[in-house]
Amino acid sequence: QEKSMSYHVAVVEDDPDTLENYVDALTHYGYRVSPYTTTEAALEAFNQESPDLTILDIHLNDQPNGGFHINKQINKISPEKPTLFISGKNSEIDKIMGLQMGAWDFIGKPVEISYLTERVRSLIQISERRKERPVEVIPYSQVGLRIDESRLTIHWYGNRVEMTMTEFSILNLIASKPGRVRSYDELKAITKQRYVETNTINGHIRRIRNKLKRIDPQFKSLKNVHGMGYRWLE
């Protein structure tokens, strides 16, 4: 209870009853809570002090995507601070958009207050652990594919994509020069296998695509150039 007092939670919600419920529950658990009903009021306050965690509705007053706009600004000011969407707009597209824009979580309305307070506690705990072990934080809205050659890791919009060494090498080569066609011969050479057929490369690409599509069903960046090879489109 005492420890929670040091954490500042902002809630941006245009429905007065819902806002009051969230504020009462979080205050009860010892958080310092700042309520806002408009995009403008929230952003003005965030420019003065960035909360430890922000709860956002998507539709705010006459702004259908007001919450998305606030989230984008938070990512510019403090990309390491968690944001949590709680919205009645909870279609798969809304959820994907929210997560791609850098939100840490997305909960559909109505939400159980006990679940909300537990999620807030959990996200702040994760955020604190990250401070102890600093990691590079890049807002989702700024980068899709991230390849770390020293660690041999690939991330798509912040999500780790597990790949074999061959898949890693192929994607790394294609994505290193967006727009440039990498020929089948170049791709065969990078596999370091003695005999590689075109169909083998196509199989590797298919598996790479499937892994990325599991994270992002809209993924379309890896393009086939008929008879020539593959290229990466940003």
Side-chain angles (χ1 to χ4, degrees), residues 37 56 101 118 137 143 159 164 174 185 189 196 199 203 206 217 226 230 232:
T37 56
L56 295 164
M101 292 179 77
E118 179 55 30
V137 179
V143 66
N159 297 280
T164 65
I174 297 170
D185 285 343
V196 185
N199 278 344
R206 188 167 58 251
H226 187 65
Y230 290 86
W232 183 266

Side-chain angles (χ1 to χ4, degrees), residues 175 178-179 221 232-234:
S221 297
W232 183 266
L233 295 180
E234 303 229 290

Side-chain angles (χ1 to χ4, degrees), residues 57-59 68 85-96 106-111:
D57 192 5
I58 297 177
H59 196 297
F68 286 151
F85 279 114
I86 303 178
S87 177
K89 287 181 71 175
N90 58 359
S91 70
E92 286 304 305
I93 295 297
D94 290 313
K95 288 177 183 175
I96 290 168
F106 193 118
I107 305 171
K109 284 182 178 176
V111 59

